[in-house]
């Protein structure tokens, strides 16, 4: 694991954008795995800037998002697809058919999970996966104690995750209780992983991920077993690291 600590979250986000941009410059038909939430917003802003400046061309890129809420239609304003459209996809020259986000309103969610896995494989697998880290150490929506071998699956969200995500909804009861998420088994197949974490509320989870034992209680800790992971932190997220 390479760990880089930046003074603030803007710098950490810009560094993530640089690494993603470099991947696309090196391999224009890259398959990129993407995350939602607060953590990647600066990175997406920077990627949009790089695209609009003609530096990074998304015309041959394929993307797979980590997750989507069950029950939210793709055009629901709180859906992760809508988040991605707003923050990235509508502002770069990606082909609409190259965008993949699990369908939260699939009639058969289990079938949707299998199809998602097959589509990732058919695209050649993920070259670079961007991740954020939950306060409870989750990656994607893989909550504590999920089997590390799990592939894309339907997840019951924990109270902690529902609390953490309530800030994006009018009221807590509006937060969906389930999501479709790539599993840790899916994430670990990515050839390169960029983990972007900022803020003091993540410091404990960062410590568990980087210097704890590999333990399903902290799903991020499995990244210690991946051969190409770069962890980008701001100072606040790094405060519990002691080496
Ligand atoms: C988002 C995702 C989650 C988030 C994590 C951190 O697609 O899969 O694992 O990355 O919950 O969320 P933020 O960045 O909002 O703190």
């Amino acid at each position: 694991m390479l760990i880089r600590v930046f003074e603030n979250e803007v710098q950490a986000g810009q560094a993530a954008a640089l690494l993603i941009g470099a991947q696309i410059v090196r391999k224009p038909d890259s398959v990129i795995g993407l995350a939602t939430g607060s953590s990647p917003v600066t990175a997406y802003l920077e990627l949009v800037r790089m695209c609009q400046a003609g530096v990074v061309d998304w015309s041959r890129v394929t993307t797979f998002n980590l997750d989507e809420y069950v029950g939210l239609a793709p055009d629901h304003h709180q859906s992760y697809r809508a988040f991605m459209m707003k923050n990235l996809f509508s502002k770069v020259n990606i082909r609409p058919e190259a965008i993949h986000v699990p369908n939260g309103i699939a009639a058969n969610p289990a079938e949707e999970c299998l199809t998602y896995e097959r589509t990732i494989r058919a695209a050649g697998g993920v070259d670079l996966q961007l991740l954020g880290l939950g306060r409870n150490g989750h990656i994607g929506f893989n909550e504590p104690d999920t089997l590390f071998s799990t592939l894309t699956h339907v997840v019951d969200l924990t109270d902690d995750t529902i609390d953490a995500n309530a800030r994006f909804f009018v009221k807590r009861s509006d937060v969906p209780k389930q999501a479709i998420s790539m599993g840790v088994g899916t994430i670990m197949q990515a050839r390169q992983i960029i983990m972007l974490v900022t803020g003091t509320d993540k410091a404990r989870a960062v410590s568990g991920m980087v210097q704890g034992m590999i333990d399903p209680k902290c799903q991020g800790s499995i990244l210690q077993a991946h051969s190409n992971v770069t962890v980008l932190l701001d100072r606040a997220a790094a405060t519990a690291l002691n080496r």
Side-chain angles (χ1 to χ4, degrees):
M1 253 183 192
L2 264 179
I3 300 165
R4 296 287 178 261
V5 182
F6 296 86
E7 208 48 57
N8 57 53
E9 62 179 305
V10 172
Q11 291 167 350
Q14 288 176 335
L18 274 177
L19 295 176
I20 297 168
Q23 167 68 35
I24 298 171
V25 169
R26 224 176 15 238
K27 186 179 178 224
D29 60 348
S30 286
V31 178
I32 307 285
L34 294 170
T36 55
S38 314
S39 308
V41 171
T42 307
Y44 293 157
L45 255 176
E46 189 63 14
L47 281 167
V48 167
R49 202 191 57 73
M50 288 177 191
C51 179
Q52 290 175 352
V55 180
V56 178
D57 172 17
W58 287 71
S59 65
R60 295 173 59 201
V61 171
T62 299
T63 63
F64 287 90
N65 262 82
L66 281 168
D67 38 27
E68 180 59 282
Y69 287 118
V70 168
L72 298 193
D75 60 353
H76 187 286
H77 66 289
Q78 296 292 10
S79 75
Y80 281 170
R81 180 180 277 269
F83 172 98
M84 290 305 303
M85 289 309 295
K86 176 165 166 257
N87 287 284
L88 184 68
F89 297 147
S90 66
K91 298 174 180 161
V92 296
N93 60 331
I94 190 167
R95 291 162 300 131
E97 64 275 20
I99 296 170
H100 301 89
V101 182
N103 178 6
I105 53 164
N108 183 340
E111 184 61 40
E112 170 68 10
C113 295
L114 281 174
T115 305
Y116 206 65
E117 280 293 326
R118 270 191 228 116
T119 313
I120 294 172
R121 230 152 282 164
V126 172
D127 290 304
L128 183 156
Q129 176 68 55
L130 176 65
L131 295 176
L133 186 69
R135 295 189 307 205
N136 62 4
H138 73 207
I139 52 178
F141 270 135
N142 297 287
E143 301 289 26
D145 290 324
T146 308
L147 276 177
F148 285 144
S149 55
T150 306
L151 299 179
T152 301
H153 60 139
V154 178
V155 181
D156 293 325
L157 301 180
T158 61
D159 283 343
D160 190 49
T161 297
I162 291 171
D163 287 345
N165 290 3
R167 67 189 193 280
F168 297 116
F169 292 80
V170 176
K171 47 187 193 309
R172 189 185 187 279
S173 56
D174 291 343
V175 185
K177 308 281 178 290
Q178 287 187 315
I180 292 177
S181 177
M182 281 188 199
V184 170
T186 322
I187 292 169
M188 288 294 280
Q189 287 169 39
R191 289 182 271 281
Q192 185 188 167
I193 293 179
I194 307 294
M195 164 63 85
L196 174 61
V197 199
T198 58
T200 34
D201 61 331
K202 303 284 181 66
R204 245 193 55 189
V206 168
S207 162
M209 169 178 72
V210 171
Q211 58 194 14
M213 302 285 281
I214 296 180
D215 182 347
K217 295 234 174 298
C218 176
Q219 294 277 302
S221 64
I222 190 66
L223 298 179
Q224 294 174 33
H226 192 287
S227 60
N228 192 350
V229 178
T230 305
V231 180
L232 304 172
L233 305 172
D234 67 354
R235 259 192 203 292
T239 46
L241 293 184
N242 51 26
R243 60 181 161 86

